[in-house]
Amino acid sequence: MKQYHISKGTTFYAIGLSYKKADAEIRGHFSLSEDAKLNLLNQAKTNGIESLIVTSTCNRTEIFGFAEHPFQLIQLLCENTKGTVEEFQEVAYVYKNKDAISHMFRVGSGLDSQILGDFEIISQLKTAARISKKHDLLNHFIERLVNAVIQASKRIKTETDISSGATSVSFASVQYIMKHVENVTDKNILLFGTGKIGRNTCENLVKHTKNEQITLINRTKDKAEAIAGKFNLIVKDYANLQEEINTSDILIVATGAQNPTIDKHIIQSKKELLILDLSIPKNVNENVQELSNVKLIHLDDLSQITDETLENRKQHIPLAETIIQEVNTEFNSWLETRKFAPTIKALKIKLQDFKKAELDTQRKKIANFNEEQAELISNKLIQKITNHFAHHLKDEAISTNDSLELIQKVFQLEPIKNV
């Protein structure tokens, strides 16, 4: 494929792992906390990486960025997580240039989500781009690409029904509860963790279960209180966690902790308890399953739930892919234009110099020289010539690099820096 002349000596890569090949435990090894993301960005800058963005969700961890070799990005990921290079090689993927661009479009448009049509990743991409920009690690290429992916995502949401109804992990958890728990309206539900997934789960619980006995606990109590106030729910102190678990029928864990926060020793009650762990890394120790009264469901189990609504969404995939193709084509057009824009600009300046010299000559030779008409005609000719060259350079049948070199040689243009 054509080389992208937007970052001298480096290539655009997407490296990462997702639910497709990596189970929850392995994904947990490569999960990046907010501090770890910042450390990774600072390390990238120190290592001379020009531009990259990092996302880490319950379903995937990915780096999109420029490097001389993908191992530079893989090393950054492994050095800032518990994951090893050996583990990465077993379950991960590496995409390059055009394939990396296509991958970001599919991810951001919900087509690569664990639950088809889940668009929560798009906000992660926005946040990742904003943080990278703050650290001077966002070049024009990635910024423009992220904006194009956002555009495709918006169009797919409005022009297709691929996200009809709720499609997220948070909704799937509530859907599971409603299918498997009788009289859910009367059950005591405890939500531990009020990050994004916790907030969305809370909203879905209130909306779909009509349950008014939902209790929230978060390490930072004011965050839980902000959500509770919106839905008129109960908030308890983190110190009361064990007590609240032992009075609950359903426990939903959605914390961002890097190690398990719930294990069998904290559960003293003998009553039936359903635990849904929506965290990556896992925040509920597998040993809770040694208790006969406890049933543990992880988010990977939830993603396997397929209902009629989800099946119906699949018929909208072709239209979504068409939209992606349209926006991707526009992006590639911009990319090719960006590639030869400096040469066209330099050519225009050279032609302006020719014009100025020729007009000066003709002005001395011709009596009653029509300055205005000469300016108008020469400017139109310059525009037509540069347009002609631009159209030629856009032709996929020709080698853009060879043409650029020839134009620069014929018109004796100054060496053009890649942009």
Side-chain angles (χ1 to χ4, degrees):
M1 66 166 289
K2 295 178 182 177
Q3 177 63 36
Y4 293 134
H5 289 272
I6 35 76
S7 183
K8 191 174 181 181
T10 61
T11 302
F12 180 59
Y13 291 104
I15 66 105
L17 64 159
S18 74
Y19 67 93
K20 288 186 175 179
K21 287 183 70 177
D23 61 22
E25 184 176 352
I26 297 296
R27 297 203 305 277
H29 293 172
F30 290 92
S31 177
L32 286 157
S33 66
E34 294 308 310
D35 286 342
K37 284 181 191 175
L38 294 178
N39 288 339
L40 190 154
L41 292 176
N42 288 327
Q43 191 177 332
K45 208 167 184 179
T46 302
N47 293 352
I49 298 289
E50 174 205 338
S51 179
L52 84 171
I53 61 172
V54 186
T55 61
S56 184
T57 71
C58 58
N59 292 330
R60 65 181 69 247
T61 297
E62 294 179 321
I63 298 176
F64 295 90
F66 286 91
E68 293 176 7
H69 191 279
F71 186 72
Q72 291 172 277
L73 303 180
I74 295 167
Q75 192 172 28
L76 281 173
L77 177 60
C78 293
E79 288 180 359
N80 287 281
T81 64
K82 297 176 182 177
T84 65
V85 173
E86 291 73 24
E87 277 183 314
F88 183 89
Q89 289 173 332
E90 285 181 11
V91 298
Y93 43 80
V94 175
Y95 298 114
K96 177 180 177 181
N97 286 339
K98 187 177 179 181
D99 291 335
I101 292 169
S102 296
H103 179 67
M104 188 191 286
F105 270 104
R106 288 189 66 81
V107 169
S109 300
L111 297 187
D112 202 62
S113 297
Q114 194 169 21
I115 297 178
L116 180 64
D118 183 353
F119 282 94
E120 288 187 3
I121 186 65
I122 199 68
S123 64
Q124 294 272 352
L125 283 170
K126 289 179 187 176
T127 301
R130 187 171 65 249
I131 293 171
S132 287
K133 191 168 188 175
K134 186 178 177 182
H135 286 77
D136 295 320
L137 280 166
L138 191 71
N139 65 8
H140 293 302
F141 174 93
I142 295 184
E143 185 169 25
R144 180 84 176 218
L145 176 57
V146 170
N147 287 334
V149 171
I150 292 168
Q151 180 191 345
S153 171
K154 285 179 180 176
R155 281 191 57 190
I156 290 170
K157 277 184 182 179
T158 56
E159 296 176 31
T160 78
D161 289 329
I162 205 165
S163 60
S164 58
T167 56
S168 63
V169 168
S170 55
F171 175 72
S173 64
V174 175
Q175 186 181 43
Y176 180 88
I177 291 169
M178 294 178 69
K179 281 186 176 180
H180 294 84
V181 179
E182 293 182 4
N183 304 317
V184 66
T185 306
D186 304 321
K187 301 298 183 182
N188 291 325
I189 302 176
L190 174 61
L191 175 61
F192 176 36
T194 54
K196 184 167 185 180
I197 289 179
R199 292 196 303 272
N200 291 344
T201 303
C202 183
E203 189 167 345
N204 281 311
L205 281 170
V206 173
K207 180 179 178 181
H208 298 288
T209 68
K210 311 300 180 187
N211 189 307
E212 297 180 358
Q213 301 170 79
I214 302 171
T215 301
L216 307 184
I217 291 181
N218 196 64
R219 288 179 186 273
T220 310
K221 191 175 181 181
D222 58 351
K223 290 184 179 179
E225 286 174 338
I227 297 166
K230 182 179 177 182
F231 299 109
N232 195 29
L233 304 177
I234 302 164
V235 175
K236 295 286 186 176
D237 291 323
Y238 176 65
N240 300 121
L241 179 61
Q242 182 172 5
E243 177 187 344
E244 291 302 318
I245 288 174
N246 290 319
T247 62
S248 297
D249 301 295
I250 302 167
L251 168 62
I252 302 171
V253 182
T255 74
Q258 292 298 301
N259 295 297
T261 52
I262 306 293
D263 67 14
K264 68 177 184 178
H265 303 293
I266 204 172
I267 302 169
Q268 303 296 322
S269 171
K270 298 298 181 184
K271 67 189 293 190
E272 294 292 317
L273 177 64
L274 171 64
I275 303 178
L276 280 75
D277 186 359
L278 309 185
S279 312
I280 291 288
K282 291 181 178 180
N283 271 203
V284 180
N285 195 310
E286 295 289 338
N287 67 16
V288 300
Q289 297 187 95
E290 296 172 15
L291 304 174
S292 60
N293 59 312
V294 172
K295 182 174 184 179
L296 174 62
I297 298 294
H298 195 264
L299 61 84
D300 279 1
D301 303 315
L302 296 172
S303 68
Q304 294 169 10
I305 301 168
T306 55
D307 60 11
E308 188 178 341
T309 304
L310 198 55
E311 288 300 313
N312 287 341
R313 291 190 190 111
K314 290 181 180 177
Q315 67 186 350
H316 300 286
I317 291 176
L319 179 54
E321 288 177 335
T322 300
I323 292 169
I324 288 174
Q325 186 58 46
E326 287 175 8
V327 181
N328 197 348
T329 299
E330 289 172 10
F331 174 77
N332 283 325
S333 249
W334 168 82
L335 194 55
E336 283 300 310
T337 302
R338 183 176 175 80
K339 178 179 177 178
F340 58 72
T343 298
I344 294 297
K345 184 178 179 181
L347 174 61
K348 197 168 187 175
I349 291 170
K350 177 67 78 171
L351 292 175
Q352 292 282 2
D353 289 342
F354 289 163
K355 179 195 84 169
K356 184 177 182 297
E358 186 60 30
L359 290 185
D360 285 345
T361 301
Q362 296 303 324
R363 196 178 289 113
K364 294 170 184 175
K365 287 183 178 180
I366 301 172
N368 301 318
F369 181 71
N370 191 325
E371 190 83 37
E372 186 178 344
Q373 190 174 23
E375 279 282 339
L376 182 65
I377 293 171
S378 54
N379 285 339
K380 282 191 174 183
L381 281 172
I382 289 172
Q383 191 60 50
K384 284 188 176 183
I385 292 168
T386 51
N387 285 346
H388 186 79
F389 276 110
H391 285 306
H392 169 76
L393 291 167
K394 287 179 181 178
D395 186 350
E396 293 185 359
I398 59 102
S399 168
T400 306
N401 291 340
D402 290 345
S403 293
L404 287 173
E405 189 177 336
L406 182 61
I407 293 167
Q408 291 166 22
K409 186 175 181 180
V410 168
F411 289 93
Q412 298 180 329
L413 305 179
E414 291 297 318
I416 305 298
K417 291 182 179 181
N418 294 331
V419 292

